[in-house]
Amino acid sequence: MAISEQASADLRLACIQFQPAIGRLDDNLKSMERLIRQAAGLGATVVVLPELADSGYVFDSQEELAAIAAPIPAGRSAMLLCSLAYELGMHIVSGLAERDGDRFFNAAMLCGPSGPIGTYRKLHLWNREKLYFQPGNLGLPVFDTAIGRIGVAICYDGWFPETYRQLALQGAELVCVPTNWVPMPGQGHHLEPMANILHKAAAHSNGIYIACADRVGTERGQPFVGRSLIVGPTGWPIAGPASEQDEEILIATIRLGDVARSRALSERNDAIGDRRTDVYG
Amino acid sequence: MAISEQASADLRLACIQFQPAIGRLDDNLKSMERLIRQAAGLGATVVVLPELADSGYVFDSQEELAAIAAPIPAGRSAMLLCSLAYELGMHIVSGLAERDGDRFFNAAMLCGPSGPIGTYRKLHLWNREKLYFQPGNLGLPVFDTAIGRIGVAICYDGWFPETYRQLALQGAELVCVPTNWVPMPGQGHHLEPMANILHKAAAHSNGIYIACADRVGTERGQPFVGRSLIVGPTGWPIAGPASEQDEEILIATIRLGDVARSRALSERNDAIGDRRTDVYG
């Protein structure tokens, strides 16, 4: 029957918003495992966690980062996520502090029930990240998984419309965004974070799902804005925004088949096909 | 004194939201002149009018368009705007139906107190426009005027982040957007038009002013959304959104010097300079 067939192709996606603690790997892994299990209990088969979920964000020194950062997928955080993905039959995307020899990356790992699938390294580093991390050197990969074509972006990557455009042009249907959003200049009393606006625009312009899992809390004086968000391919939120301050799990049902349909903005228009590549490459 | 110097560099910008009538050139030119004079009375020295302000939008036939479309700047609409710009000491940007030999363009003219400055032809045609107009063939020019560097985009051009990026990379400080926004698929009961979201995102990502003058009313069954908007270079509205249905003049004071400052998103970040051109060209 058509309805049940469509239902069986749906995915239950969760964005986990929580507060990692700087430098406390054990505590962070415990929080991540607890929340991933909770998302599984809510029926989620795809889970997104924040940027640098295992390490916290506001490092005081390179040594503090080095004490936690580990290889992907051979490090402790990555192995825990892979084992949970296997046990729970899930796909998991999480921001992690990555060490590769003597270099460090603000990275994200995608793993599934069959093991690690890929790594993304943040291309656009924000502020003091430039002191501790190397800029990403793996481009903007799109991973062809059993559940669909998945891209990854991290926080400030989303300030560059090129990020989502490149991922969409490479066939991404869902972009998972581990993030640690901070307040933007000029936001003042406005309630909606610019990050939410940017991701509604990017999802609409590209006709893709975007799932943003933010952190909350204030760390060494740096506040984070929360407001995790799952946006559908028409650009409207399908879950969230979450609260500014609370631990929270957002859940949405996504249908990757809607991606192609959403680009047909009118009888004669296609949001991707109408690009004037003769003018702007 | 520094304060008065800065004040003297400020511009008063107006976006005129009104309802053109399809096929009624005389009436439309009268409305445009009345509203431009009203904006001048409010102190505006830069004025933006909607897309196809002189012709209306929902054509039934090529002949209907041909009866109004005229050369720029030699046609009647363009000459009226140039004479008003001279008389009132203004810069004016207006959408106009342009004829160039046997071809028709959904165009916009920029003129100043010293005469015509330039023409832009809409690059991305929406729906039935494809039946009547040629796609723009003048690229994305940025006009270096006495009051600053001005780019122009028209309506659906704004659905492509490349449009604003290209204009910003060419030094545009202010992009004027004559538009005829229509409801987007999926908008449903959501109150904020996607067009407003897209332009807040584009202004923030590029650190530019964007001034959108929309039309109102329903024409031959096609509703327009109003909600004209002037966005500052941090991405937040500095005037509007206007109402959904009413004739209205939005006024904002803009300081083009804020453009460079707005791109310094943090001590170590620049919204344009941080682009990873090695990854996405």
Side-chain angles (χ1 to χ4, degrees):
Chain A
M1 200 176 105
I3 292 172
S4 62
E5 274 171 26
Q6 186 179 4
S8 70
D10 293 350
L11 298 173
R12 291 276 283 176
L13 182 144
C15 281
I16 291 176
Q17 173 170 297
F18 81 110
Q19 177 166 356
I22 182 72
R24 288 161 56 185
L25 178 62
D26 289 350
D27 291 343
N28 293 334
L29 293 181
K30 269 184 211 156
S31 297
M32 291 159 72
E33 177 169 353
R34 170 177 58 83
L35 290 159
I36 289 168
R37 291 187 181 281
Q38 199 176 325
L42 295 167
T45 54
V46 187
V47 174
V48 187
L49 293 111
E51 178 180 8
L52 295 171
D54 60 341
S55 64
Y57 183 82
V58 185
F59 300 105
D60 268 345
S61 68
Q62 191 75 47
E63 292 67 34
E64 193 174 35
L65 167 59
I68 289 188
I72 297 175
R76 186 172 152 204
S77 303
M79 286 195 295
L80 171 67
L81 294 175
C82 288
S83 72
L84 287 169
Y86 172 77
E87 177 194 333
L88 302 169
M90 278 182 158
H91 284 74
I92 299 175
V93 176
S94 180
L96 297 175
E98 182 191 15
R99 175 201 285 268
D100 178 15
D102 56 0
R103 297 177 306 167
F104 298 88
F105 295 95
N106 183 334
M109 182 183 66
L110 166 61
C111 59
S114 306
I117 295 171
T119 302
Y120 168 72
R121 291 169 170 172
K122 188 176 185 178
L123 287 176
H124 308 87
L125 297 178
W126 177 256
N127 210 345
R128 291 174 56 86
E129 293 170 34
K130 296 187 181 191
L131 305 180
Y132 304 121
F133 294 103
Q134 299 292 310
N137 59 356
L138 300 176
L140 286 163
V142 174
F143 304 106
D144 201 0
T145 76
I147 58 170
R149 291 179 64 81
I150 299 178
V152 181
I154 300 178
C155 199
Y156 186 48
D157 289 330
W159 267 241
F160 301 83
E162 293 91 342
T163 300
Y164 294 107
R165 185 63 104 200
Q166 280 291 110
L167 290 169
L169 290 175
Q170 292 177 82
E173 300 162 297
L174 163 66
V175 180
C176 297
V177 184
T179 189
N180 280 188
W181 289 329
V182 299
M184 282 293 107
Q187 182 156 340
H189 63 287
H190 296 279
L191 288 176
E192 186 176 25
M194 186 52 67
N196 283 186
I197 296 169
L198 293 175
H199 288 87
K200 292 191 285 189
H204 178 82
S205 288
N206 293 293
I208 52 176
Y209 285 93
I210 301 182
C212 306
D214 195 13
R215 66 162 286 168
V216 288
T218 294
E219 195 173 86
R220 294 177 174 163
Q222 173 65 60
F224 298 92
V225 305
R227 300 273 184 173
S228 296
L229 187 71
I230 307 175
V231 190
T234 57
W236 303 108
I238 55 172
S243 71
E244 284 176 61
Q245 311 219 6
D246 300 331
E247 183 174 290
E248 199 167 328
I249 298 179
L250 293 183
I251 297 263
T253 298
I254 68 178
R255 298 176 183 87
L256 296 184
D258 286 348
V259 164
R261 278 190 293 281
S262 73
R263 290 175 181 162
L265 293 173
S266 86
E267 199 183 337
R268 294 176 182 80
N269 291 98
D270 180 277
I272 296 289
D274 287 339
R275 295 170 71 237
R276 287 293 301 269
T277 51
D278 58 322
V279 174
Y280 43 68
Chain B
M1 199 178 109
I3 291 171
S4 62
E5 274 171 24
Q6 185 178 6
S8 70
D10 291 352
L11 298 173
R12 290 275 284 175
L13 181 143
C15 282
I16 291 175
Q17 173 169 297
F18 81 111
Q19 179 166 358
I22 181 75
R24 288 161 56 185
L25 179 61
D26 289 351
D27 291 344
N28 293 335
L29 293 181
K30 269 183 212 157
S31 297
M32 291 159 72
E33 178 170 350
R34 171 176 58 82
L35 289 159
I36 289 169
R37 289 187 183 281
Q38 200 175 324
L42 295 168
T45 55
V46 186
V47 175
V48 187
L49 293 111
E51 179 180 8
L52 295 172
D54 61 341
S55 65
Y57 183 82
V58 185
F59 300 106
D60 268 345
S61 68
Q62 191 75 47
E63 292 68 32
E64 194 174 35
L65 168 59
I68 289 188
I72 297 175
R76 188 173 150 203
S77 304
M79 286 194 298
L80 170 67
L81 294 175
C82 287
S83 71
L84 286 169
Y86 172 76
E87 178 195 333
L88 302 169
M90 276 182 159
H91 284 75
I92 300 176
V93 175
S94 179
L96 297 175
E98 182 191 16
R99 174 201 286 268
D100 178 14
D102 56 359
R103 297 177 306 167
F104 298 89
F105 294 97
N106 183 335
M109 182 182 67
L110 165 62
C111 58
S114 306
I117 294 171
T119 302
Y120 168 72
R121 291 169 169 170
K122 188 176 184 178
L123 287 176
H124 308 86
L125 298 178
W126 176 256
N127 210 346
R128 290 173 58 86
E129 294 170 33
K130 296 187 180 190
L131 305 180
Y132 305 121
F133 294 103
Q134 301 291 310
N137 59 356
L138 300 176
L140 285 163
V142 174
F143 304 106
D144 202 1
T145 76
I147 57 170
R149 291 180 64 81
I150 298 178
V152 182
I154 301 178
C155 199
Y156 186 48
D157 288 330
W159 267 242
F160 301 85
E162 292 91 342
T163 300
Y164 294 108
R165 186 62 105 199
Q166 279 291 109
L167 290 169
L169 290 176
Q170 293 178 82
E173 298 163 298
L174 163 66
V175 179
C176 297
V177 184
T179 189
N180 281 188
W181 288 329
V182 299
M184 281 294 107
Q187 183 156 340
H189 64 285
H190 295 280
L191 288 176
E192 186 177 25
M194 186 51 67
N196 283 185
I197 296 168
L198 294 175
H199 288 86
K200 291 191 287 190
H204 178 83
S205 288
N206 292 293
I208 52 175
Y209 285 94
I210 302 182
C212 306
D214 195 12
R215 64 162 289 168
V216 288
T218 295
E219 195 172 84
R220 294 178 173 161
Q222 173 66 62
F224 298 93
V225 306
R227 300 276 182 170
S228 296
L229 187 70
I230 306 175
V231 190
T234 57
W236 303 107
I238 55 172
S243 70
E244 284 176 61
Q245 311 219 5
D246 299 331
E247 184 174 291
E248 200 167 328
I249 298 179
L250 293 182
I251 298 264
T253 298
I254 67 177
R255 298 177 183 87
L256 296 184
D258 286 349
V259 164
R261 277 190 293 281
S262 72
R263 289 175 181 161
L265 292 173
S266 86
E267 198 183 338
R268 294 175 182 81
N269 290 98
D270 180 278
I272 297 288
D274 286 339
R275 296 170 70 238
R276 288 293 301 267
T277 52
D278 58 320
V279 175
Y280 43 69

